[in-house]
Amino acid sequence: IDLDFPTTLFILSHSFSVPKNYQHVLALAFAVKEINEDPRILPNISLCFHILNSYYTAKMTFKAILNLLSTQHRFVPNFKCHNQNNVIALVGGCLSEISVNIAILSATHKTAQLTYGSFLPPEGAKKQLPFLYQMVPNEAQQYMGAVQLLQHFGWTWIGLVAVDDDRGNKFLETMIPMLFRHGICYEFILRIPKWSYIDEMIALGMKERIFEIAFESKARVFFVYGEPPSFQVLRMLLFVAPLFELPPPGKVWIVTSHWDFASLPVQRIWDTETFHGSISFSVHSKQPLGFHKFVQTVRPSWAKGDGFIQDFWEHAFNCLVNVAKVIQEGKESCLRDEKLETLPGILFEMNMTGHSYNVYNAVYAVAHALHTVYESSSKHRRCVGRERLSLQNVQPWQLHHFLSSISFNNDAGDTVHFNENGELFAQFDVTNWLMFPNGSMARVKVGSLDPQAAAGHELTIFDDIGPTQVLPLSVCNDNCYPGYSRKKREKEQFCCYDCAACPKGMISHKKDMETCIKCPEHQYPNKEQAQCIPRVPSFLSYGESLGIILRSLSLFFSFTTALVFGLFLKHKDTPIVKANNRSITYILLISLLLCFLCPLLFIGQPAKVSCLLRQIIFGIIFSVALSSVLAKTITVLLAFMATTPGSRMRKRMGKGLATSIIFSSSLVQAAICTVWVNMTPPFPDVDIHSLDGKIILECNEGSAAMFYCVLGYLSTLASLSFIVAFLARKLPDSFNEAKFITFSMLVFCSVWFTFVPSYLSTKGKYVVAVEVFSILSSSVGLLGCIFGPKCYIILLRPALNSREHLIRRKN
């Protein structure tokens, strides 16, 4: 098949003064070679390409494009002559500015342009530049990845370095608010010149403190925005820094996918270890089969028409290919069999880099689109004889429709297709750069950035981040550790703060918490105020020492009271037992027995029934006991007042009076308790505030007023008994019981008068212990003072327990 028209042409726009950029040429040549040798793509059609150097300038870029779109060997823009180049697509450039310059002219000619470098399109770019395709996702997607990277490593205090042009301004306008929203601050902003001219370097160095602030800053991480020329500028700044007596920076550099760590020939001996450990969002790339072997075949005379190989070879190996120049300049001559794999990575890499991989995919995208154009429409073909086909000229604009919907898998296994904005669906590799003293370097993939992932999960960092140095700490000040919270410094950014200890009762369980927080009610702060721990239930239990002691005392005195009661039953017919109303004595002993058993209701975990009964039973039983004492006291007093036989006072004495006193006095207490239970009954409750680390299980009395009414009534009965007994203490009798009742009431009143302040001043289970102790003490006072002397006479002085003795003492 003969081709009636010239072959398809490509343009690769870049500056090839940097030796490392020559790999982009090789990637394009390798892709074209594979396509021309592959019978499945454009069979019997050969692709050709034409490469022009942009020199990083708009002027040369426009000239190159116009030259390519004009008649061959004649610079006549906008005219189609018979020998017109058939440019089907443009590949380039690496810089955004160059890409825009190319796009302006390519859009006029409706020629598809595939830019292989990171590109931040202007607003409305899709309408203004409809034929532009980006082999890299929109660069703005890297900004959020950088923020997530900073958050991942806890770097909140950074330095911003941006190229000094409109794109640098736009980067700062976008990045600074984004950093603030995610809790990251910048210490300074350093603007670097657009091009690496020496005079601009000196002018930058003379700016006041601009170097000093950057090199001596506390920020250990620099986020750098710029394109390949900016890296040369940055290297120049680091090279001249010792002239200003500035220390080595020792920073971690975070860079976007624009960057490639490459050197100019003059920079080959400059130190690159400053960038050791740098992290970049590199364009995702794989190694096409055969590329490494293809690169190994490159020699100064490897292909005709390569106008860059000689300069590349001389710059890379620091020798001269041209013999005439060897004699003229006195340099060594190239052996022409030098091997590219011996070059340090800063000058050339054998593995295909991200930008070269984009060039490789761009060529394949055009080839697949062109192949689809030829296959999709029969009107593009016409038969000439039996074995001869003539191809009609394919116009560049025809490629656009098929290119926008192209989707294919390249030989490396990646899928190539564009979104509605003409941006390639692709990921970024998070790359850790290892720089070595001899100029060699290694790339270690430590993560990935997927713009299509869910919001907040675009960045993935591997657990093993590679053999880099220990990660630095880049914060304005030391972290506030658990137990402390941030305290903002006046007139400083929010990333700079002091650490204040949490107030009592509050905690901070994470680093750098803004404020301390309270623990849930069932928990309390630990000693360091760094976490909440469960509160320990606190109540007077049967198993603890205090509970065992009080329980034992309660049972012991109950048993003692039972023995006394048994003793009195045994000697019920003796005068000392019969004296002063034997029935009241029995009632008093039984009530004292129950008083000693009351504490058993107070010990143990509070429950609804125990809380309801313990104060009620205590109040009623004690009122019975005190009423019995009051009845005995009144009986003694009336007995000596009714000395005349047959007197009215004597007739009123007897069991009826004592019983009515006991019944009526107890009935009043029972009425008080009934009102209490019906209005605000006691109930189980918890107290989490009184004791640190404890959750007090207690009985809430419901109404403190009713509780003190019960105690007040008991105090009234005790006071009446004390007064009456005190009046009757000197009445003549061989056994004047009023004296002992006086002592018992004195003990009783002393105990319960001291109970109130003790009850109010103690907390937790000790409140219960105080009340139990008061119950036992007052009961022991009644038992000991009233029945102790009687038991002494019954057991040890039985001779005194006789009627004669009592009558003799009375006479």
Side-chain angles (χ1 to χ4, degrees):
I1 298 175
D2 295 333
L3 300 182
D4 292 348
F5 298 93
T7 53
T8 307
L9 301 177
F10 292 83
I11 174 173
L12 177 67
S13 176
H14 209 311
S15 175
F16 300 104
S17 57
V18 179
K20 199 170 184 178
N21 292 343
Y22 184 67
Q23 191 191 87
H24 308 333
V25 175
L26 298 181
L28 188 144
F30 177 69
V32 172
K33 177 177 179 294
E34 281 191 333
I35 293 169
N36 288 337
E37 294 176 354
D38 190 348
R40 296 170 299 176
I41 305 177
L42 297 175
N44 300 319
I45 298 177
S46 297
L47 296 181
C48 293
F49 58 89
H50 189 68
I51 301 176
L52 296 175
N53 197 346
S54 67
Y55 297 99
Y56 288 149
T57 63
K59 178 180 178 180
M60 295 303 297
T61 301
F62 283 125
K63 182 179 179 180
I65 300 303
L66 289 173
N67 183 59
L68 188 67
L69 297 176
S70 301
T71 304
Q72 268 188 334
H73 309 299
R74 294 179 62 191
F75 187 61
V76 186
N78 298 326
F79 284 91
K80 290 187 176 182
C81 302
H82 64 283
N83 201 17
Q84 179 77 20
N85 290 333
N86 186 20
V87 178
I88 201 65
L90 305 176
V91 179
C94 185
L95 308 186
S96 292
E97 183 179 3
I98 301 300
S99 298
V100 172
N101 293 334
I102 296 174
I104 293 173
L105 293 179
S106 64
T108 303
H109 291 74
K110 298 182 179 181
T111 303
Q113 175 195 351
L114 294 87
T115 175
Y116 60 93
S118 293
F119 181 64
L120 185 63
E123 294 184 6
K126 191 60 182 175
K127 293 182 179 180
Q128 300 175 14
L129 309 173
F131 298 94
L132 178 66
Y133 296 88
Q134 302 173 48
M135 301 307 298
V136 181
N138 192 307
E139 75 171 34
Q141 296 172 346
Q142 300 177 56
Y143 300 166
M144 181 53 68
V147 170
Q148 293 180 10
L149 181 70
L150 295 171
Q151 289 180 315
H152 178 83
F153 293 115
W155 293 329
T156 59
W157 190 245
I158 66 171
L160 291 175
V161 182
V163 64
D164 193 8
D165 61 5
D166 293 340
R167 298 183 71 251
N169 293 337
K170 189 172 183 180
F171 162 76
L172 295 175
E173 291 173 0
T174 305
M175 198 69 203
I176 291 175
M178 188 180 296
L179 292 173
F180 286 167
R181 285 196 303 270
H182 293 83
I184 302 171
C185 305
Y186 66 91
E187 184 177 2
F188 64 89
I189 296 176
L190 176 63
R191 305 300 297 269
I192 54 178
K194 192 173 181 179
W195 309 115
S196 54
Y197 295 136
I198 300 298
D199 55 343
E200 293 183 358
M201 294 295 100
I202 297 175
L204 179 64
M206 296 305 292
K207 291 182 179 179
E208 291 186 10
R209 292 180 54 79
I210 189 65
F211 273 171
E212 185 176 349
I213 292 175
F215 281 73
E216 296 182 357
S217 67
K218 292 171 60 177
R220 305 292 296 169
V221 176
F222 288 176
F223 184 24
V224 187
Y225 178 83
E227 293 183 321
S230 305
F231 177 64
Q232 315 305 332
V233 175
L234 192 56
R235 291 201 67 193
M236 185 73 73
L237 293 177
L238 296 173
F239 182 74
V240 301
L243 301 178
F244 300 93
E245 299 181 352
L246 295 174
K251 312 294 182 181
V252 174
W253 306 85
I254 299 177
V255 297
T256 55
S257 62
H258 307 77
W259 286 59
D260 194 1
F261 289 95
S263 288
L264 295 168
V266 71
Q267 297 173 325
R268 67 170 61 236
I269 61 173
W270 291 8
D271 175 42
T272 58
E273 289 187 273
T274 301
F275 299 100
H276 181 73
S278 297
I279 301 175
S280 71
F281 293 96
S282 305
V283 179
H284 174 70
S285 63
K286 289 185 178 179
Q287 301 306 310
L289 296 176
F291 179 73
H292 192 276
K293 185 176 181 180
F294 173 77
V295 173
Q296 288 178 328
T297 64
V298 174
R299 293 292 183 273
S301 58
W302 77 293
K304 295 181 180 180
D306 187 348
F308 303 103
I309 182 62
Q310 181 172 319
D311 288 340
F312 161 74
W313 207 266
E314 292 180 348
H315 289 155
F317 293 101
N318 196 25
C319 62
L320 293 175
V321 176
N322 192 321
V323 178
K325 288 185 178 180
V326 172
I327 300 174
Q328 181 178 357
E329 299 182 13
K331 292 185 177 181
E332 294 184 2
S333 176
C334 296
L335 300 176
R336 296 176 179 265
D337 61 351
E338 291 87 355
K339 296 183 179 180
L340 295 180
E341 54 262 34
T342 62
L343 293 174
I346 203 74
L347 292 177
F348 190 82
E349 293 184 69
M350 296 296 290
N351 290 330
M352 185 175 286
T353 64
H355 288 143
S356 297
Y357 189 64
N358 290 341
V359 173
Y360 176 83
N361 286 330
V363 175
Y364 264 95
V366 173
H368 278 280
L370 187 61
H371 181 83
T372 306
V373 171
Y374 284 134
E375 283 190 341
S376 63
S377 179
S378 60
K379 69 179 181 178
H380 292 160
R381 300 183 180 181
R382 57 188 178 87
C383 181
V384 181
R386 176 181 290 184
E387 297 179 355
R388 184 175 179 83
L389 292 176
S390 176
L391 295 178
Q392 291 187 351
N393 190 9
V394 177
Q395 298 301 318
W397 59 265
Q398 294 178 275
L399 195 70
H400 171 63
H401 172 71
F402 297 95
L403 193 60
S404 60
S405 58
I406 198 71
S407 180
F408 65 92
N409 293 329
N410 63 16
D411 289 346
D414 284 337
T415 301
V416 178
H417 64 106
F418 301 97
N419 62 16
E420 65 277 4
N421 295 321
E423 300 168 356
L424 188 73
F425 280 104
Q427 297 183 0
F428 294 96
D429 295 334
V430 181
T431 303
N432 184 217
W433 294 78
L434 308 181
M435 303 293 185
F436 302 103
N438 62 356
S440 61
M441 62 185 186
R443 303 168 184 245
V444 179
K445 183 178 178 180
V446 297
S448 62
L449 176 64
D450 184 5
Q452 283 76 45
H457 298 83
E458 295 90 347
L459 182 70
T460 301
I461 299 296
F462 303 150
D463 293 335
D464 182 10
I465 62 170
T468 98
Q469 56 192 3
V470 178
L471 289 172
L473 186 67
S474 186
V475 293
C476 181
N477 48 261
D478 292 336
N479 298 106
C480 290
Y481 290 94
Y484 294 83
S485 63
R486 291 183 178 183
K487 183 179 179 181
K488 191 180 184 307
R489 294 179 184 174
E490 294 295 332
K491 299 180 180 180
E492 292 193 33
Q493 295 193 52
F494 63 86
C495 292
C496 301
Y497 48 83
D498 296 318
C499 297
C502 288
K504 185 177 180 181
M506 303 183 76
I507 66 147
S508 63
H509 59 284
K510 297 179 181 178
K511 290 197 301 183
D512 293 332
M513 288 188 65
E514 295 291 341
T515 56
C516 298
I517 59 174
K518 288 185 177 181
C519 290
E521 290 189 351
H522 61 282
Q523 297 180 340
Y524 73 102
N526 64 350
K527 184 178 180 181
E528 294 78 17
Q529 292 182 272
Q531 62 177 340
C532 294
I533 55 179
R535 291 180 180 271
V536 179
S538 175
F539 59 93
L540 186 60
S541 66
Y542 285 104
E544 61 180 303
S545 301
L546 183 58
I548 293 173
I549 293 173
L550 294 177
R551 181 182 59 179
S552 300
L553 290 175
S554 175
L555 295 175
F556 172 75
F557 289 119
S558 300
F559 181 72
T560 303
T561 305
L563 290 179
V564 172
F565 185 53
L567 182 65
F568 273 56
L569 289 176
K570 183 178 180 181
H571 299 84
K572 62 181 179 179
D573 295 326
T574 60
I576 202 167
V577 174
K578 294 171 65 178
N580 202 5
N581 201 327
R582 181 173 52 187
S583 298
I584 297 178
T585 301
Y586 291 162
I587 293 174
L588 178 59
L589 281 172
I590 294 173
S591 62
L592 285 177
L593 176 63
L594 295 177
C595 286
F596 283 122
L597 294 176
C598 275
L600 299 180
L601 290 173
F602 289 80
I603 303 174
Q605 183 172 345
K608 186 176 182 179
V609 175
S610 62
C611 287
L612 182 65
L613 293 180
R614 67 184 191 180
Q615 299 292 3
I616 307 300
I617 292 176
F618 154 71
I620 293 176
I621 291 176
F622 255 76
S623 67
V624 173
L626 291 175
S627 299
S628 301
V629 173
L630 179 61
K632 291 176 70 69
T633 309
I634 292 176
T635 301
V636 172
L637 183 62
L638 293 179
F640 284 95
M641 292 177 65
T643 55
T644 303
S647 66
R648 184 178 300 178
M649 183 69 70
R650 189 178 185 90
K651 292 180 180 180
R652 292 177 180 177
M653 291 178 57
K655 297 182 180 179
L657 177 62
T659 303
S660 62
I661 291 174
I662 295 173
F663 179 76
S664 59
S665 299
S666 302
L667 186 62
V668 172
Q669 185 73 293
I672 295 174
C673 292
T674 301
V675 173
W676 185 7
V677 170
N678 289 328
M679 290 179 59
T680 52
F683 59 90
D685 197 7
V686 294
D687 179 7
I688 61 174
H689 304 293
S690 298
L691 296 176
D692 291 337
K694 305 288 186 181
I695 179 168
I696 301 172
L697 305 181
E698 61 181 5
C699 285
N700 191 314
E701 308 305 344
S703 173
M706 296 303 298
F707 173 65
Y708 288 112
C709 282
V710 170
L711 294 181
Y713 183 71
L714 293 178
S715 300
T716 301
L717 292 177
S719 299
L720 288 175
S721 299
F722 174 75
I723 293 172
V724 174
F726 182 80
L727 295 175
R729 73 189 187 283
K730 293 184 179 181
L731 295 175
D733 196 353
S734 61
F735 187 84
N736 191 351
E737 195 174 25
K739 294 180 181 179
F740 305 112
I741 292 176
T742 302
F743 283 116
S744 67
M745 289 299 99
L746 185 62
V747 172
F748 186 92
C749 292
S750 299
V751 169
W752 287 103
F753 284 154
T754 57
F755 163 77
V756 174
S758 301
Y759 183 85
L760 296 176
S761 61
T762 53
K763 298 177 181 179
K765 59 186 179 183
Y766 299 104
V767 174
V768 179
V770 166
E771 187 169 359
V772 170
F773 179 78
S774 299
I775 292 172
L776 293 176
S777 301
S778 57
S779 300
V780 169
L782 292 176
L783 179 65
C785 292
I786 296 176
F787 296 97
K790 292 185 178 183
C791 291
Y792 173 76
I793 292 174
I794 293 172
L795 295 176
L796 301 178
R797 303 290 298 274
L800 300 179
N801 189 9
S802 63
R803 182 178 178 81
E804 293 76 9
H805 177 73
L806 294 177
I807 294 175
R808 185 177 68 250
R809 289 292 299 165
K810 182 176 181 180
N811 293 333

